[in-house]
Amino acid sequence: MSSSLERRIVRGACPHDCPDTCALITTVENGRAISVKGANDHPTTNGFLCTKVNRYLERTYSPQRVLYPMKRVGEKGSGIFQRTSWDEALETIATKFAEIAADNPQAIQPYSYAGTMGLVQGESMDRRFFHRLGASLLDRTICASAGAAGYRATIGLGMGTDPERFNESKLILIWGSNVITSNVHLWPKILAAQRNGARLIAIDPYRSLTAEKCDQHIALLPGTDGALALAMMHVIIGENLIDQDYIEKYTLGFELLRQRVMDYTPSKVAMITDVSEDLIIRLAREYATTKPSVIRLNYGMQRHAGGGMAVRTVACLPALVGAWRDSAGGVVLSTSGTFGMNTHALARPDLIWNQPRKINMSAIGDALLGFQRVQKLRASDAPEESLEPLDPPVRAIYVYNSNPVAVAPDSRKVIAGFKREDLFTVVHEIFQTDTVDYADILLPATTQLEQLDIHKAYGHLYVVLNQPAIEPIGEAKPNTEVFRLLARRMGFTEDCFQDSDEELARQSLSAGNQSGWGRMQGITLEALKERGWMRLNVPDRFAPFAEGNFPTPSGKCEFFSESLAKQGIDPLPTYIPPRESRQDAPALARKYPLAIISPPAHNFLNSSFANLPTFLKAEKEPRLDIHPEDAGSRGIKDGDRVRVFNDRGQFKVKARVTDKARSGVVVALSVWWKKLTQDGCNANDVTSQALTDLGAAATFYDALVEVETT
Ligand SMILES: Nc1nc2c(c(=O)[nH]1)N[C@H]1C(S)=C(S)[C@@H](COP(=O)(O)OP(=O)(O)OC[C@H]3O[C@@H](n4cnc5c(=O)[nH]c(N)nc54)[C@H](O)[C@@H]3O)O[C@H]1N2
Ligand SMILES: Nc1nc2c(c(=O)[nH]1)N[C@H]1C(S)=C(S)[C@@H](COP(=O)(O)OP(=O)(O)OC[C@H]3O[C@@H](n4cnc5c(=O)[nH]c(N)nc54)[C@H](O)[C@@H]3O)O[C@H]1N2
Ligand SMILES: [Mo]
């Protein structure tokens, strides 16, 4: 009986937007995947998966999968569709795009983010197609561009301490990062360090799952990290706790920095951060005198008006104390700049024949309503912003790898935009998300088990290959295949529209003029097919900046940045306050006195997994954590249903009265699907489309609200 049993083991990569990019082992029996496990041999994955991807089969084989192309038959937003054929769906899209392109192709807008982080399914054939079409470009700013720009100003590239060395550190600052939820494979390393005598300090306005387990938790006010780092420098320099030799050899602008931080006394910064002067001084001393010390910087702190500058400022700390000398010292935000994949070969920007505008994805609501957010950078303050008319207006939008109706800020505007009767919307999705409900044409997408891809990572130093394990379910197709088919229908005859997924993966490993190419030596598709993953060509004890060699214009760690000066931005670290805070927007704060942050819920991944029963059950229901003082003064009791609101909108949740939230700050773990909440709203109904200083990123955690019982 079992002689016909065909059993295969397939190596893969987790596609989700997470620093860990796990190596997966899928067991397939008779064409059906029966288990997905974390690879034992991959050092980061270490044989285990997070709560979500552990149950990846529930995602792949979910009865909620979109199985066929569909066309809308109900009103926009109703989510009522009728099955159609691929042929008709593609013909409708091609005809519509051709019609719009005949007027002006820039009225066509691609919209994608990191539904899959794979280079093949995330940034190859799609980019080629839209480049060749002449569509508007998309500025992909919704997550990390502020931090990336800030880090780049100081360090030069997204490189830092190898997370694998954290276990050898003696002091770990977990700064704006909920490691246990969003970077869980780093946690065993951190615990190992703690067992070896390291102290763990969380710097976070919220007592997250991670902060709870640290030796110390510093609950500063949101958006004030830059000030805290400046005060630490004030103490470190003032008490001469610096590494003079490192500073002289490998940094630029120390004298100017020394003068700058004189202003940021611990007593002044205590007022800004609401952290006591004494605590700031002790933190600075401990940081400077414990060796090696490492900072796990993450994206939480950069979702504020001054997010770019805050990251730039924190990133100055290790050079000041010479922490980079040790492979277990320094700071890491993202490791992605260590990789040298040939993204140019994949995306083919040379196919662009017009000079298309770039639309900022974090202000998609404005864009769909006919406006572009224009920033005027100011030297040491949040940028000034104005709305200017978009010409031509967006007439078509093609959404893939993203769920903007749920995740983009200022939902009311996003929804009003997607509701436009004259907007032609295509959504390529695995599930019927909030965004899908507004689609004219819905296309079924494959999951990672059904497609080929190649991955770099932002939290480790391995390239990971994903080989398809099973056939596509229903009529689902991978992103690349849809763009190949569309290219053919639109008459794009260039050879590059014929490349198979495997060819694309190979091209990602090819030589070009990309930085980091040297670290790619020896990594080939053939070797990856055999092993699944390969470490970058870097030493086992990788200490990238032990002897300087910063990938900045000067080759040094830039306390002073000429390139920022050229953009009209303060060339030195400074503190840029949030746009919406009690201190800096007192009039607004009288109306809306509470700062709201909405970091990831443990069992969701942005809005992914937030539709599947297991994860919904684990998260129970949308909640708002509120401090007992803030609850008390509003007559709110634990378990009450409350309305959270500001001028932009409102959403209703159950209050959890807890000192996990510090006073003055409320926390709504996210991102819930709107249609699965009682009022059809989520935290993004109150977030704003205003952008950060550097990187023009979203400012999700820079918002004031009021809360009342309903
Ligand atoms: N389970 C799970 N994992 C994820 C995700 C997910 O949604 N779910 N999302 C993935 C994605 S897209 C990303 S970008 C990463 C995000 O990874 P992280 O940046 O680590 O994001 P969070 O886990 O939200 O941790 C951010 C922490 O920053 C805190 N915070 C908010 N504002 C401030 C501030 O002003 N200063 C400081 N110091 N802290 C602040 C929040 O309270 C939160 O605890 O995680 C990825 N991993
Ligand atoms: N309030 C609030 N809002 C936030 C955040 C927050 O902390 N608070 N975090 C922000 C951050 S950091 C980020 S990165 C963004 C994330 O925003 P998004 O990148 O939009 O992430 P998801 O919500 O996970 O949506 C990704 C979608 O892509 C689909 N998908 C997955 N794989 C494929 C594929 O191969 N092909 C196609 N066609 N589709 C696929 C998934 O089914 C899913 O619906 O959200 C942001 N929004
Ligand atoms: Mo993100």
Side-chain angles (χ1 to χ4, degrees):
M1 192 181 86
S2 63
S3 63
S4 65
L5 180 77
E6 189 233 2
R7 174 186 275 233
R8 290 188 303 132
I9 303 292
V10 183
R11 281 189 173 269
C14 175
H16 289 290
D17 189 351
C18 164
D20 299 356
T21 305
C22 287
L24 306 180
I25 303 283
T26 302
T27 306
V28 182
E29 268 183 19
N30 291 337
R32 191 176 169 92
I34 56 160
S35 79
V36 176
K37 296 214 153 60
N40 281 316
D41 59 357
H42 179 234
T44 309
T45 310
N46 197 16
F48 77 97
L49 295 174
C50 67
T51 52
K52 305 167 298 298
V53 181
N54 234 333
R55 298 183 182 82
Y56 199 73
L57 293 180
E58 284 185 36
R59 186 170 168 84
T60 292
Y61 292 115
S62 166
Q64 293 183 41
R65 285 282 299 267
V66 177
L67 297 177
Y68 314 103
M70 309 268 224
K71 59 182 175 189
R72 182 171 61 83
V73 289
E75 272 180 24
K76 288 207 175 196
S78 68
I80 303 173
F81 292 94
Q82 193 176 67
R83 184 170 170 183
T84 181
S85 65
W86 268 105
D87 194 52
E88 188 190 331
L90 293 170
E91 194 54 33
T92 308
I93 299 168
T95 306
K96 194 76 190 175
F97 279 8
E99 180 192 309
I100 296 172
D103 278 351
N104 188 342
Q106 292 189 57
I108 302 169
Q109 184 62 52
Y111 193 98
S112 75
Y113 200 64
T116 168
M117 297 282 288
L119 295 169
V120 174
Q121 302 305 336
E123 45 186 305
S124 69
M125 206 49 88
D126 53 323
R127 303 291 206 274
R128 293 178 183 184
F129 176 80
F130 289 114
H131 289 160
R132 172 67 179 74
L133 182 62
S136 285
L137 302 172
L138 183 70
D139 202 1
R140 292 180 168 80
T141 57
I142 203 154
C143 172
S145 59
Y151 197 84
R152 200 181 310 122
T154 302
I155 307 289
L157 258 184
M159 287 173 74
T161 317
D162 183 350
E164 253 175 85
R165 287 282 158 241
F166 267 52
N167 56 321
E168 293 173 10
S169 184
K170 291 297 175 207
L171 175 68
I172 304 180
L173 304 191
I174 303 177
W175 203 326
S177 176
N178 182 6
V179 175
I180 293 176
T181 287
S182 59
N183 180 195
V184 66
H185 291 82
L186 184 62
W187 190 242
K189 293 276 172 195
I190 292 178
L191 288 180
Q194 195 185 36
R195 280 195 302 274
N196 291 334
R199 281 212 339 126
L200 315 180
I201 303 181
I203 304 177
D204 194 315
Y206 183 56
R207 202 169 71 239
S208 65
L209 286 177
T210 307
E212 207 143 63
K213 295 200 161 54
C214 287
D215 300 297
Q216 188 180 350
H217 173 208
I218 298 178
L220 78 182
L221 285 171
T224 64
D225 303 271
L228 178 61
L230 287 160
M232 287 171 72
M233 294 190 215
H234 177 103
V235 177
I236 292 168
I237 297 174
E239 298 186 0
N240 201 23
L241 302 174
I242 53 175
D243 184 332
Q244 190 73 44
D245 178 59
Y246 192 93
I247 290 172
E248 274 168 22
K249 286 187 183 139
Y250 308 128
T251 71
L252 184 73
F254 175 69
E255 184 48 34
L256 290 167
L257 178 71
R258 194 185 64 77
Q259 289 167 28
R260 167 59 57 88
V261 303
M262 285 201 286
D263 278 354
Y264 291 91
T265 60
S267 65
K268 175 174 157 183
V269 169
M271 307 285 289
I272 297 174
T273 55
D274 198 24
V275 174
S276 77
E277 187 178 342
D278 177 54
L279 246 174
I280 296 172
I281 294 170
R282 278 192 287 139
L283 173 67
R285 287 181 185 154
E286 184 175 357
Y287 175 71
T289 56
T290 313
K291 308 223 177 247
S293 65
V294 70
I295 302 174
R296 177 48 169 147
L297 189 58
N298 222 325
Y299 293 102
M301 72 155 70
Q302 47 106 64
R303 308 195 200 288
H304 300 272
M309 188 56 86
V311 168
R312 153 159 175 66
T313 304
V314 175
C316 289
L317 284 164
L320 218 47
V321 300
W324 289 118
R325 290 181 187 277
D326 197 297
S327 62
V331 51
V332 62
L333 173 64
S334 163
T335 56
S336 65
T338 326
F339 293 78
M341 321 290 278
N342 194 344
T343 49
H344 186 280
L346 291 180
R348 295 289 306 272
D350 54 299
L351 290 167
I352 299 176
W353 50 272
N354 48 356
Q355 286 187 318
R357 67 185 179 199
K358 207 172 208 183
I359 298 292
N360 190 320
M361 72 185 306
S362 301
I364 191 63
D366 285 341
L368 292 178
L369 295 175
F371 297 99
Q372 182 150 24
R373 198 166 272 264
V374 177
Q375 283 192 310
K376 199 157 94 199
L377 291 175
R378 293 187 293 198
S380 302
D381 211 347
E384 220 175 86
E385 294 183 351
S386 56
L387 289 183
E388 288 178 9
L390 255 189
D391 183 28
V394 181
R395 291 173 59 193
I397 185 165
Y398 185 122
V399 182
Y400 59 106
N401 289 347
S402 186
N403 182 13
V405 169
V407 307
D410 201 354
S411 301
R412 270 193 194 173
K413 292 208 169 136
V414 177
I415 289 172
F418 272 102
K419 264 211 166 122
R420 269 176 45 205
E421 280 305 324
D422 59 344
L423 179 73
F424 176 68
T425 301
V426 180
V427 182
H428 186 198
E429 251 300 344
I430 297 168
F431 294 108
Q432 190 171 343
T433 61
D434 288 327
T435 307
V436 164
D437 288 348
Y438 295 86
D440 293 286
I441 298 288
L442 164 59
L443 304 172
T446 40
T447 67
Q448 186 77 338
L449 299 189
E450 302 149 65
Q451 62 198 20
L452 185 140
D453 220 324
I454 189 160
H455 292 253
K456 57 180 188 175
Y458 61 98
H460 64 63
L461 299 174
Y462 301 85
V463 177
V464 192
L465 181 70
N466 184 72
Q467 296 196 262
I470 58 170
E471 289 298 313
I473 296 193
E475 293 184 3
K477 291 188 194 298
N479 295 333
T480 44
E481 182 59 15
V482 178
F483 288 108
R484 260 182 230 114
L485 293 169
L486 276 175
R488 194 175 312 155
R489 278 196 197 241
M490 309 255 343
F492 299 167
T493 52
E494 290 82 353
D495 287 347
C496 68
F497 292 109
Q498 310 285 329
D499 290 345
S500 68
D501 287 0
E502 190 166 319
E503 281 161 344
L504 290 165
R506 202 181 298 281
Q507 287 163 17
S508 77
L509 300 172
S510 65
N513 61 359
Q514 68 270 31
S515 73
W517 172 239
R519 291 184 287 270
M520 299 294 292
Q521 298 310 304
I523 301 181
T524 63
L525 194 60
E526 280 58 43
L528 283 168
K529 277 186 181 171
E530 215 153 276
R531 306 184 43 191
W533 51 268
M534 289 178 87
R535 187 169 164 90
L536 288 175
N537 194 7
V538 295
D540 183 40
R541 290 195 177 287
F542 184 45
F545 313 126
E547 295 174 359
N549 297 315
F550 288 90
T552 52
S554 65
K556 300 190 165 182
C557 174
E558 298 198 345
F559 298 143
F560 178 90
S561 165
E562 188 64 46
S563 59
L564 289 185
K566 279 193 192 130
Q567 296 169 61
I569 299 169
D570 196 329
L572 288 168
T574 187
Y575 169 58
I576 296 180
R579 277 205 184 75
E580 300 191 9
S581 71
R582 271 195 233 184
Q583 284 177 29
D584 298 285
L588 186 71
R590 272 192 292 281
K591 221 166 143 194
Y592 303 118
L594 297 168
I596 185 168
I597 57 175
S598 50
H602 189 69
N603 295 282
F604 298 161
L605 199 131
N606 300 317
S607 76
S608 294
F609 298 95
N611 59 317
L612 299 176
T614 304
F615 310 106
L616 283 167
K617 204 167 138 208
E619 290 299 332
K620 297 193 183 77
E621 65 204 317
R623 281 186 311 250
L624 185 80
D625 284 2
I626 182 167
H627 190 272
E629 278 169 24
D630 295 323
S633 60
R634 290 169 177 76
I636 295 169
K637 293 184 303 298
D638 192 57
D640 279 355
R641 239 180 111 64
V642 293
R643 184 171 86 95
V644 184
F645 62 101
N646 60 21
D647 288 341
R648 288 178 289 266
Q650 65 169 43
F651 67 109
K652 291 180 183 164
V653 282
K654 193 167 172 178
R656 179 163 74 169
V657 179
T658 165
D659 64 0
K660 280 168 76 71
R662 54 150 296 149
S663 66
V665 180
V666 290
V667 182
L669 298 178
S670 290
V671 179
W672 289 81
W673 281 27
K674 288 174 185 285
K675 62 178 154 189
L676 300 182
T677 66
Q678 281 186 27
D679 61 343
C681 296
N682 70 11
N684 282 322
D685 281 86
V686 299
T687 55
S688 123
Q689 292 182 77
L691 304 170
T692 57
D693 52 345
L694 308 176
T699 53
F700 288 108
Y701 304 165
D702 192 335
L704 286 172
V705 292
E706 181 53 292
V707 182
E708 63 182 26
T709 50
T710 59

